[in-house]
Amino acid sequence: MSVENEAIVRRLYEEVWNKRKLEVLDDLLSPSHAIQGPNVSGSEIGPEGYKHQVLRFLKAYPDLHWTIEDIVGGNEKIVAAWTFSGTHEGEYMGVPATHKKVSFGGITIHHIANGKIIDSFTNWDSLDRVDPVVQGSANG
């Protein structure tokens, strides 16, 4: 796996998502970047489109945090297995705020060329999103 490409993906989660440095997206994403996947709504492209996705998440989960559980890949494709956690404080994809702590896992395949992420395919367990797992409780 390219060390440089892995570093780009790690910056996406740590700096953009966890530290809320949205301006970093201009350095990480190509102007034509697209997010694809069964749980992704909208068709915006590029860093501005990605910023809108981040802001949608932050509105619903203001304390969100992403943890990379594993990262693997080849030359131009880096796969991040991640866990998302936060408190559901606002509407997200038609689901009203539950005010519960949630956690769910997923994967994103990032395609990287010339030092920029050019597209990302993401998938997660959407049932966890609808019926959130309460952290720290085996019984939910």
Side-chain angles (χ1 to χ4, degrees), residues 84-138:
F84 165 98
S85 59
T87 308
H88 187 197
E89 297 292 351
E91 181 274 330
Y92 185 75
M93 293 181 71
V95 178
T98 63
H99 309 289
K100 293 182 180 180
K101 293 211 177 275
V102 300
S103 179
F104 53 90
I107 63 160
T108 303
I109 303 167
H110 300 281
H111 185 193
I112 302 172
N114 301 316
K116 301 266 187 178
I117 303 172
I118 61 174
D119 65 44
S120 303
F121 178 85
T122 191
N123 199 359
W124 66 82
D125 183 352
S126 61
L127 292 178
D128 273 352
R129 178 184 48 79
V130 174
D131 184 15
V133 174
V134 177
Q135 291 180 327
S137 172

Side-chain angles (χ1 to χ4, degrees), residues 26-66:
D26 296 324
D27 295 333
L28 300 179
L29 303 181
S30 76
S32 62
H33 177 270
I35 303 173
Q36 304 168 48
N39 300 318
V40 176
S41 64
S43 60
E44 296 176 288
I45 61 168
E48 289 304 315
Y50 201 98
K51 287 174 190 176
H52 290 143
Q53 291 288 338
V54 172
L55 292 172
R56 277 186 41 226
F57 267 91
L58 287 173
K59 186 175 180 183
Y61 304 94
D63 62 342
L64 70 80
H65 182 82
W66 295 75

